[in-house]
Amino acid sequence: MQEIAPNIIIEKRFAPYNLGVVVTEHGVIAIDVPPQPSQAQLWLEEIRNSWGQPRFLMLSDGQPERLIGAALASIPTIMTRAAAQSLAAFDEKTWLEMLHTIGQNYPEELEVLTNLRPPRPTLIISQTLHLHYTTPPLTFEPLSGNSPSSLMLTIPEHKVLFAGDTVVADQPPDLRYTPDFNDWLKTLAALAKRKDIRWIVPGRGSGPLPRGDLESQQELMHELEHAARRLARKADDSEGITQATTDLQQVFYPHAARGSAIHKTLRQALEILASQKRAERLEAAEQKAAQRAAAVSAENAVTGEPER
């Protein structure tokens, strides 16, 4: 554990996750729990032994790993409305399938996972919530980020932000759950201007980061978007994606090897963005065609000429 400010602790031993604890006189707020049962048990025992039973567990998003962590914890849970909706969408069959999928990473602990029941949210957040456990109060904010269920926690007294996977460190952004890439960029731009934040704890990787370090993530995401826009001009350009991935890796992650997790995540991000850009181009073309057809139809109606 590392105390980054008075009563604010982060834990980085359970890679790739950054976990957190905020200690207040009204109770402890835990931030995320690892999905591996043995790690979750160790983490929760350390919290209890140091500060007692957590009052709340905050989920930084509603991705499967976070939901499993909440199920393992059995602590009153704070999550966004989008995360609660994702949770409610599981039935008995799909929940068990998800547990089996994640459990392949921990085959020796699969039995523990498959016996889990879905967690029940205690506080569901759809807008900014101030929790008066500290002065000034803790601030929970659902923001557009890496997923529709992103939730951030600001401790204003010490200018610390727990940002979840919306802020990345030492790795590319994961776009698998991202509803709107441009909204994510807007969130980063807004965070970069917030003087009430000095340090940011990302959901994974190294940290905490100075607020100014957001510039490198913003630059990478803008480059991803530019590359995807170029790639979208062709229906299928796997060779172009390969070259663009290599180019971005050499600029932003020169230490990473081809075939590494960084390389794979970069390529996946390009593929997702390029596919979205192609769909946008196709939709724009269809709208223009429909507008031209409507204009021709209107003109023919005026002149009395038959439509062609």
Side-chain angles (χ1 to χ4, degrees):
M1 293 188 188
Q2 176 189 358
E3 188 173 39
I4 60 173
N7 296 320
I8 302 175
I9 296 90
I10 62 173
E11 178 58 81
K12 299 187 284 187
R13 284 183 300 148
F14 307 115
Y17 309 104
N18 288 328
L19 313 174
V21 173
V22 180
V23 182
T24 79
E25 61 181 16
H26 298 288
V28 171
I29 313 294
I31 301 160
D32 290 329
V33 172
Q36 184 173 348
S38 58
Q39 291 186 349
Q41 181 181 6
L42 179 58
W43 171 233
L44 293 168
E45 284 180 354
E46 290 183 354
I47 295 176
R48 293 182 183 116
N49 291 337
S50 298
W51 303 285
Q53 176 71 5
R55 179 67 184 84
F56 289 110
L57 166 66
M58 184 197 102
L59 295 191
S60 59
D61 61 46
Q63 294 181 34
E65 294 94 333
R66 315 285 193 205
L67 297 178
I68 290 175
L72 288 164
S74 298
I75 296 170
T77 304
I78 301 173
M79 63 178 71
T80 62
R81 184 171 299 280
Q85 290 170 343
S86 296
L87 187 58
F90 285 104
D91 56 27
E92 186 174 349
K93 180 175 182 292
T94 55
W95 174 257
L96 187 59
E97 289 173 348
M98 185 270 284
L99 292 175
H100 271 284
T101 298
I102 301 299
Q104 301 310 308
N105 298 317
Y106 326 109
E108 69 282 0
E109 301 181 52
L110 182 59
E111 184 177 354
V112 177
L113 286 179
T114 53
N115 288 326
L116 288 177
R117 306 307 302 165
R120 293 184 177 181
T122 304
L123 289 177
I124 298 175
I125 297 178
S126 57
Q127 57 187 351
T128 299
L129 171 71
H130 299 292
L131 185 64
H132 292 268
Y133 277 18
T134 62
T135 303
L138 304 174
T139 302
F140 297 87
E141 300 173 272
L143 297 172
S144 298
N146 67 298
S147 90
S149 53
S150 297
L151 181 61
M152 303 186 194
L153 170 60
T154 305
I155 302 94
E157 181 182 4
H158 301 293
K159 297 187 176 182
V160 173
L161 170 72
F162 283 88
D165 290 344
T166 292
V167 174
V168 297
D170 304 329
Q171 56 188 312
D174 184 350
L175 271 60
R176 288 176 298 164
Y177 305 102
T178 304
D180 193 314
F181 187 81
N182 289 328
D183 278 354
W184 187 353
L185 280 170
K186 290 176 183 177
T187 293
L188 292 176
L191 292 177
K193 297 176 182 178
R194 284 181 52 175
K195 295 183 179 180
D196 63 323
I197 297 170
R198 179 181 299 143
W199 295 100
I200 299 176
V201 181
R204 306 170 197 242
S206 63
L209 309 172
R211 176 167 52 92
D213 282 8
L214 286 174
E215 291 182 5
S216 59
Q217 180 180 346
Q218 291 173 282
E219 183 182 359
L220 169 60
M221 290 177 65
H222 282 299
E223 290 300 321
L224 277 169
E225 185 175 33
H226 294 159
R229 188 176 292 114
R230 292 193 300 270
L231 292 166
R233 295 172 187 152
K234 298 182 180 180
D236 182 16
D237 191 11
S238 57
E239 184 177 340
I241 287 178
T242 298
Q243 185 59 54
T245 302
T246 300
D247 292 344
L248 287 170
Q249 179 183 318
Q250 290 176 347
V251 172
F252 290 94
Y253 307 98
H255 62 283
R258 184 182 179 90
S260 65
I262 284 177
H263 186 95
K264 292 176 181 177
T265 304
L266 272 175
R267 183 182 180 99
Q268 183 183 62
L270 279 172
E271 290 172 342
I272 291 171
L273 276 179
S275 177
Q276 291 174 355
K277 297 298 182 185
R278 288 190 192 99
E280 291 171 3
R281 287 172 62 87
L282 179 61
E283 182 180 1
E286 290 175 346
Q287 288 178 350
K288 288 182 179 179
Q291 290 170 355
R292 286 196 296 267
V296 170
S297 178
E299 183 179 351
N300 290 341
V302 172
T303 60
E305 293 183 10
E307 295 184 13
R308 299 180 182 179

